[in-house]
Amino acid sequence: MARKIRRRPKKKLFVIIIVFACLLIGLGIYFSISNKNTVKEHKVVSKIPSYGYTLKSNKSSQYKKLFQELKETLTADKVDEKKYAKTITKMFIVDFYSLKDHVAKTDVGGVDFVHSDALDNFIVNAEDTLYKYVESNIYGQRKQELPEVSEVNIKSVEKTQYTYNDNIDENAYEVQASWTYKDKSVADGYQTDATFIYMHDGKKLVLVEVLNGEEEEEDED
């Protein structure tokens, strides 16, 4: 009686290999998408504790340089308040008007310098105007072209009296400034000058009002 030869289950082995290969490909795609959709954490890289200012890793190189200038000014034996007002005005302009540096319409710049009582209204107003059409770039895939401030010019820094929420500051500061953008074609129609009013909150200067050129011309009439 002839002995039957048992054949190897080639078909089963082939199916297992295919399933395993599909699994590997699927995992590769999953991790690739996961890596693309991971939101990077931004660490605090520098602080000015006595004034409550912090610098995060996601800020532009221009802003980081200004932060270092601010740190040197505020840690000096005697603080030069005019220089202080100049520097935070530059920082505010670079951070607030450089829409390219922000990941969404809710990521409003310049908030570190705004008076705490005015902050909520400031953010709402920004989201409804300047930041209204900023597309999300949380995962770094935005293709929208947005303006980026290249240079800030401080025209004047003057002391003034200012009243806010029934608080009078006889040593408030009025700073007039103008700025330019890196790509003029992208920034066409965006604001390029304003007057900034700062009051004291203890030893800290806080922004309480921003007047643009049109508003100032209306007031003169």
Side-chain angles (χ1 to χ4, degrees):
M1 190 172 175
R3 187 178 178 184
K4 290 183 179 180
I5 299 172
R6 296 180 66 185
R7 294 182 180 179
R8 294 181 181 180
K10 290 183 180 180
K11 200 170 184 180
K12 275 189 177 182
L13 183 62
F14 180 74
V15 171
I16 290 170
I17 291 171
I18 292 296
V19 170
F20 186 69
C22 290
L23 182 62
L24 287 176
I25 292 169
L27 286 171
I29 293 170
Y30 171 78
F31 285 117
S32 176
I33 294 172
S34 295
N35 288 334
K36 285 183 180 179
N37 292 346
T38 298
V39 180
K40 293 182 180 178
E41 291 186 10
H42 304 302
K43 298 178 180 179
V44 173
V45 294
S46 187
K47 295 179 181 181
I48 310 175
S50 56
Y51 284 80
Y53 295 120
T54 58
L55 174 65
K56 290 188 176 180
S57 58
N58 63 316
K59 294 299 183 182
S60 68
S61 58
Q62 187 179 12
Y63 187 91
K64 288 175 180 176
K65 185 178 178 181
L66 289 168
F67 188 92
Q68 185 57 37
E69 289 181 19
L70 179 64
K71 193 170 187 177
E72 291 171 4
T73 299
L74 297 181
T75 54
D77 293 336
K78 185 177 180 181
V79 174
D80 182 338
E81 282 206 327
K82 280 198 170 184
K83 190 175 180 182
Y84 176 18
K86 282 183 184 180
T87 305
I88 60 175
T89 298
K90 289 181 180 180
M91 293 174 75
F92 177 85
I93 291 169
V94 166
D95 197 26
F96 183 70
Y97 294 100
S98 292
L99 300 182
K100 184 179 179 180
D101 295 337
H102 298 279
V103 298
K105 65 172 286 185
T106 54
D107 180 26
V108 178
V111 295
D112 291 344
F113 309 103
V114 179
H115 194 300
S116 58
D117 291 346
L119 187 56
D120 288 344
N121 286 337
F122 171 78
I123 292 173
V124 169
N125 183 59
E127 289 175 355
D128 288 342
T129 54
L130 184 64
Y131 284 71
K132 187 173 183 178
Y133 299 107
V134 174
E135 296 174 2
S136 175
N137 194 37
I138 293 174
Y139 304 123
Q141 298 172 331
R142 181 173 62 201
K143 295 181 180 179
Q144 181 185 24
E145 292 186 334
L146 293 168
E148 182 180 6
V149 174
S150 61
E151 189 175 351
V152 181
N153 175 41
I154 302 297
K155 296 178 179 179
S156 65
V157 181
E158 302 293 340
K159 279 194 172 184
T160 186
Q161 179 177 302
Y162 195 84
T163 303
Y164 182 77
N165 287 351
D166 296 326
N167 294 318
I168 300 173
D169 188 349
E170 295 182 354
N171 294 300
Y173 285 93
E174 179 180 295
V175 182
Q176 293 186 2
S178 63
W179 56 95
T180 55
Y181 295 95
K182 288 187 177 180
D183 189 333
K184 292 181 180 179
S185 62
V186 172
D188 185 38
Y190 283 91
Q191 188 174 352
T192 57
D193 64 274
T195 298
F196 304 86
I197 309 294
Y198 299 92
M199 287 182 68
H200 287 88
D201 181 9
K203 63 182 180 180
K204 187 175 183 178
L205 290 176
V206 289
L207 183 63
V208 289
E209 190 168 5
V210 179
L211 300 171
N212 62 38
E214 293 177 358
E215 287 175 333
E216 289 182 291
E217 288 173 7
E218 289 175 359
D219 289 342
E220 289 174 4
D221 294 337

